[in-house]
Amino acid sequence: MLRTLAAAVQRWETAARNDRYYYLPLAHQLLHNDGGLHQASVLQEFQDRAWTRLSRLPNWESICEEDRVARLRWHDPQAYEVHQLREELAAHKASCR
């Protein structure tokens, strides 16, 4: 299981480096406590190291914004819809000028 978690974090980091960021939710096994606390702590360590490496990239600000929007979409769909509508409205206003 640890190898699977490490590979998932590596794919996630590579995608973020290439401007294809996506939200990395917890593994199904961890959500149902099949993996135990050790696997959850190891996953957190893998992610912390990946975030540290990503923070050194020139597109760090865009990665943070994409992460914020992805977390919003995952955890609060209604707030995500409001965010998307505001983005569309701002784009429409800019095109009308």
Side-chain angles (χ1 to χ4, degrees), residues 40-56:
S41 66
V42 169
L43 175 63
Q44 186 62 46
E45 186 178 327
F46 288 160
Q47 286 180 324
D48 289 344
R49 289 179 186 173
W51 276 114
T52 301
R53 289 188 296 269
L54 289 173
S55 69
R56 297 181 193 124

Side-chain angles (χ1 to χ4, degrees), residues 12-14 16-17 21 49-60 63:
W12 168 79
E13 182 181 359
T14 302
R17 286 180 182 276
Y21 180 86
R49 289 179 186 173
W51 276 114
T52 301
R53 289 188 296 269
L54 289 173
S55 69
R56 297 181 193 124
L57 296 176
N59 62 341
W60 169 244
I63 291 172

Side-chain angles (χ1 to χ4, degrees), residues 1 6 8 11 17 28 47 73 77 84 86 90:
M1 182 172 170
R11 285 191 304 271
R17 286 180 182 276
H28 175 77
Q47 286 180 324
R73 182 177 187 182
Q84 291 302 102
R86 286 181 179 165

Side-chain angles (χ1 to χ4, degrees), residues 9 12 15 19 33 36 45 51 53 56 67 69 74-76 81 92 97:
V9 171
W12 168 79
D19 291 328
N33 201 24
E45 186 178 327
W51 276 114
R53 289 188 296 269
R56 297 181 193 124
D67 178 63
V69 172
W74 187 265
H75 296 289
D76 192 357
E81 290 296 324
H92 178 71
R97 291 180 184 176

Side-chain angles (χ1 to χ4, degrees), residues 58-71:
N59 62 341
W60 169 244
E61 295 298 325
S62 67
I63 291 172
C64 287
E65 179 61 21
E66 289 174 22
D67 178 63
R68 187 185 70 78
V69 172
R71 286 178 186 274

